[in-house]
Amino acid sequence: MKLSFMQTIKVQSNKREEMIEITSEVENALRESDVKEGICVLFTQHTTCGLTVNENADPDVKSDMLLFLRTLIPQYYEGFKHSEQNSDAHIKSSLVGSSVTIPFADGKLLLGRWQGIYLCEFDGARERKVLLKII
Amino acid sequence: MKLSFMQTIKVQSNKREEMIEITSEVENALRESDVKEGICVLFTQHTTCGLTVNENADPDVKSDMLLFLRTLIPQYYEGFKHSEQNSDAHIKSSLVGSSVTIPFADGKLLLGRWQGIYLCEFDGARERKVLLKII
Amino acid sequence: MKLSFMQTIKVQSNKREEMIEITSEVENALRESDVKEGICVLFTQHTTCGLTVNENADPDVKSDMLLFLRTLIPQYYEGFKHSEQNSDAHIKSSLVGSSVTIPFADGKLLLGRWQGIYLCEFDGARERKVLLKII
């Protein structure tokens, strides 16, 4: 067992808005850590993307989520003053959240049958960093 | 003290949308663990419900929250493609979040005076599982 | 190293809706703890405010976020029954979330270049308490 295991996962987005699954990267890091039981904390070091756990079976779930969030929180909104024109992405980031915490046992993430871990890109394309810390 | 304490809390929902308080179940598990100080991580293994901490005094808070979320994120929305007709529930799940983390000391959850822990059902009625992990 | 380090950060809000940065308070507590590596869990003991990580460079991001959330989730909404007229604040609290978890190493929070930690006041002015627990 490596104490204080931490790793950085790099994620390349290719569109302004995109949900990119990182479950296998997290599973690989967990294997590498050789820790068998605990919690896995993922934290993104950015302010215009988020992390979430959601369905990884039907890809329509992702596109429905992104479509709805784009309509609910538009990029160009009367009253936005932030000059980078990505206030919508900052808002989505705070609503979705910048971290997820997932328990694991026997060296495996305790995700439900339909769950995957996603980086939610709201202001891409960019390279993003996700810190993975095992406790 | 039992090392690596984990427990599964089962929650039965009875409606499509419902906030079900699980504070006492979490307190019971904490007592059983016999751990006195740390954090309690709750994680739901599903993609159409969420976990949150909110008021447990006036039940109108719960019904106002559910009413508003139902109006804001409708079940039937032009453009949704996911065939199970629960894309709204997936979106609510990611906005509310699939986990909560609560510190405890002296064997007691450090909740504020008005706080309770809720499973937010957005696509019931179903039996849901919440993992409780103590660190 | 102090085992089981916990501290309470008090935050005074001055308006109904306000994002108050608490990054330096968290950094001070971390220094005081003398713990070098782990996760820092922040938890607010209230039901009408939230905690988030977002941009701390351009103050327009904060005002855009508050403006948008105020418009999206209005204080006075037909159908709200909760008599304290702050159901909007309860909803915002559950969407933003009542806790954040941030990894640290070498005694320093692993925040990204533009990230700061905020208490999001949605029903001020009040004094708020944020628990800081180091694991």
Side-chain angles (χ1 to χ4, degrees), chain B residues 14-29:
Chain B
N14 297 301
K15 301 183 194 171
R16 183 165 199 270
E17 291 159 353
E18 194 176 0
M19 286 176 69
I20 302 170
E21 188 166 6
I22 58 169
T23 313
S24 62
E25 284 84 347
V26 176
E27 283 169 342
N28 290 343

Side-chain angles (χ1 to χ4, degrees), chain A residues 4 6 39 41 43-47 72-74 77 79-82 87 90-91 94-95 98-99 131 133 135, chain C residues 37-39 52-55 58 60-61 64-65 67-68 71-72 95-96 101 103 105 110-112 114-115 135:
Chain A
S4 312
M6 184 150 58
I39 55 170
V41 173
F43 178 78
T44 175
Q45 290 185 302
H46 309 277
T47 59
L72 188 71
I73 309 171
Y77 178 76
F80 280 163
K81 290 185 180 163
H82 181 48
S87 287
H90 287 287
I91 296 166
S94 276
L95 295 183
S98 57
S99 74
L131 299 182
K133 176 79 186 169
I135 298 282
Chain C
E37 182 152 354
I39 56 170
T52 198
V53 172
N54 215 304
E55 172 164 332
D58 178 1
D60 283 345
V61 171
D64 284 359
M65 290 182 66
L67 165 75
F68 189 82
T71 311
L72 188 71
L95 295 183
V96 167
T101 301
L110 293 168
L111 291 170
W114 308 106
Q115 286 181 315
I135 298 281

Side-chain angles (χ1 to χ4, degrees), chain B residues 5-63:
Chain B
F5 186 86
M6 185 150 60
Q7 205 174 89
T8 302
I9 297 171
K10 290 186 182 174
V11 184
Q12 177 65 49
S13 64
N14 297 301
K15 301 183 194 171
R16 183 165 199 270
E17 291 159 353
E18 194 176 0
M19 286 176 69
I20 302 170
E21 188 166 6
I22 58 169
T23 313
S24 62
E25 284 84 347
V26 176
E27 283 169 342
N28 290 343
L30 199 57
R31 237 184 325 267
E32 229 174 281
S33 78
D34 211 24
V35 184
K36 294 305 175 200
E37 181 151 355
I39 56 169
C40 176
V41 173
L42 300 170
F43 178 80
T44 174
Q45 291 186 302
H46 310 276
T47 59
T48 54
C49 65
L51 290 169
T52 198
V53 172
N54 215 304
E55 172 164 332
N56 69 353
D58 178 2
D60 283 344
V61 172
K62 292 195 292 182
S63 55

